[in-house]
Amino acid sequence: MQFYKERILNAAQLKRLSEHKYSCTSASILDAWLQPWWCWLVSKTPLWLAPNLITILGLIVNIVTTLILVWYSPDARQEPPQWAFALCALGVFVYQSLDAIDGKQARRTGSQSPLGELFDHGCDSISTVFIALGACIAVKLGEYPTWMFFQCFCAMTLFYCAHWQAYVTGTLKMGRIDVTEAQYTIIGIHLISATLGPDAWATKIQGLDIPLRLIACTLTFSTALYFVVNFAASFRHRGCGKNGSTVAGTSILSPVIPFSLVVVPAFIIFQKSESQVYENHPALYIIAFGMVTAKVTNRLVVAHMTKSEMEYYDWSLLGPAMLFLNQYFNHALPEYYVLWLCTIWVVVELIRYCGQICLEICDHLHISLFRITRQTPATASPHDKNGTNRGRRAKRVPA
C-alpha cells in the first residue's frame, strides 16, 4: 500500500459507482410525523442552495455546539453552563432537520447523484461521534468512564453495522425505532440537563440504588442489543453477491477486520494506560478514535457503492499506533501529548481522504461538490415514492 495513492478510485470503481442505485427500507415512527415539517422547510430553501452544502452546514452546527460542551467539560465530569446544553439540543435539531431535507432538495433541483449519498453517509459517520459524546457529557457520564466508553463506541458500532449489512444485502434496512427516534431522544436529554442541570441524572429512583444516568445507559444497552440481534439474524440469509457473498463478491465477515483494528486497540490502550489518559481526557480520546472509526466506515460505504473489496489497513490507524507504541516503550512521551498528536493526525487524514474521494467523483461525474451545476426543472415532489426522504439519508445511532 502506497503512502498516498495518486488516485483512490480506479476507472472500474468509478464506473460502478456511477451505476449505483440507492436502496433503503424504513419503517421509522417519527419520520411520518416529521414529514410536514421537513416538506415546509425544504419549500423555503433557495433553489440555488446545493444539497451537499445543506448537509455540511448541519454537520458544522452539530460539531461546534458539541465542542462548546467539550470546552466546558473535557472530562465529562464538570458541569457546563445550562445554556450550553440548550445550544447543543438546538445543534442536534438543526443537524437532523438539514440532514432530512438534503435529499428532498436534490430531487427538487434535479441534482441527485451517487456523490450525494456518499457525502451524506460520510457526514453522518462524523456526526455519530459528536452526538454520542454530547449525550455523555449531558448526563456527566465521565463519572463512570467504562460506561462512557461503551456508550460512545456502541454508537459507532451500530452505525458501522448498518452499513455492513448494506454491504452484504445491498439494502440499508431501518426499523420502527431507529436513527430519528434516537436523535430526538438525545435532544430530550440535553433539554432536561438545560432545565434541571446535569446533576438531575444523579437522582436515584426510590427503592433502587441506581442513578438515572445508569438506568438510561441500561436502556441504551437493551436497544443496542436489540439492533445487534437483528443485525446478526441477517447473516442467516445469504448475501446478494455470487455464492451468497457481499455486493463485491467478498466474504460477508470481511468487514469485521478493519473495524476490529480500531475498537480493540482503543480498549487495550484505555485499559493499559498508567497515566489514565482516557479517564482524564475522555472527550479527546473518543474524538480521536471516533475519527478513525469514521474513516473506516467511509471506506466501507465506498466499497459498497463501488462494489469493491474493502481494504483492511488504513493510514489513519497510525494514530492509535502512536499511543500503542508509546505504551510499549514505557511511556517515552507523556500520553496526553501523544493523544493530541494522534487526534491531529487522524483528523487531517480523514479530511484528506474525504476530500480526495469527493474530488475524484466530481471529476468523473462532471459536477461540483457545493454548487448545483446541472439544475433541471423541479417537477418532482419533495416526497419520495414511499412518502419519506430516504434518497440520501442512512445512519444508525443509539438513544
Side-chain angles (χ1 to χ4, degrees), residues 280-298:
N280 294 325
H281 313 284
L284 184 62
Y285 192 92
I286 285 168
I287 289 173
F289 281 91
M291 294 305 98
V292 183
T293 305
K295 174 82 179 294
V296 173
T297 305
N298 282 326

Side-chain angles (χ1 to χ4, degrees), residues 8 33 52 56 86 103 164-165 189-190 207 216 280 296 302 306 313 323 336 345-347 370 380 390:
I8 298 175
W33 288 90
N52 290 337
I56 196 77
W164 181 357
Q165 187 178 50
I189 289 173
H190 283 299
N280 294 325
V296 173
V302 170
T306 59
Y313 303 105
L323 289 164
Y336 177 62
W345 169 263
V346 298
V347 169
F370 295 124
R390 291 294 184 178

Side-chain angles (χ1 to χ4, degrees), residues 327-357:
Q327 284 189 358
Y328 181 80
F329 289 106
N330 296 318
H331 304 90
L333 297 172
E335 281 193 292
Y336 177 62
Y337 298 132
V338 179
L339 178 58
W340 263 110
L341 184 62
C342 167
T343 304
I344 294 170
W345 169 263
V346 298
V347 169
V348 170
E349 177 62 18
L350 175 63
I351 294 173
R352 182 205 64 82
Y353 173 80
C354 294
Q356 187 173 345
I357 282 283

